[in-house]
């Protein structure tokens, strides 16, 4: 029992993916296929310390821990 709900949800998700997919940007596709440069904005990062963005666990250790490991 209980398989019916799971199967119904999977069927719903599959239909959404099949028939309601993402909208295609035809202008961007045409520019890409014709060899024209395509402008893609980069994400805005205001943080001066980019290491924290790369390492999701950076907040759990301090700089003192790194110095101890290198010695």
């Amino acid at each position: 029992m209980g398989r019916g709900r799971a199967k119904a949800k999977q069927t719903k998700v599959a239909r959404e993916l099949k028939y309601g997919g993402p909208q295609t940007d035809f202008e961007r596709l045409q520019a890409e296929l014709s060899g024209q440069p395509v402008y893609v904005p980069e994400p805005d990062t205001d943080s001066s310390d980019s290491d924290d963005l790369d390492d999701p666990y950076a907040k759990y250790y301090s700089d003192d821990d790194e110095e101890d490991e290198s010695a």
Side-chain angles (χ1 to χ4, degrees), residues 24-71:
T24 304
D25 185 359
F26 291 108
E27 292 176 4
R28 184 172 172 190
L29 178 61
Q30 182 180 12
E32 184 177 336
L33 293 174
S34 67
Q36 297 174 356
V38 178
Y39 173 71
V40 178
E42 293 186 17
D44 186 27
T45 56
D46 293 336
S47 177
S48 61
D49 190 9
S50 63
D51 290 340
D52 290 341
L53 298 175
D54 296 335
D55 186 6
Y57 301 105
K59 64 183 178 182
Y60 296 111
Y61 61 89
S62 65
D63 292 335
D64 296 337
D65 295 339
E66 290 177 1
E67 292 173 5
D68 293 340
E69 291 175 2
S70 64

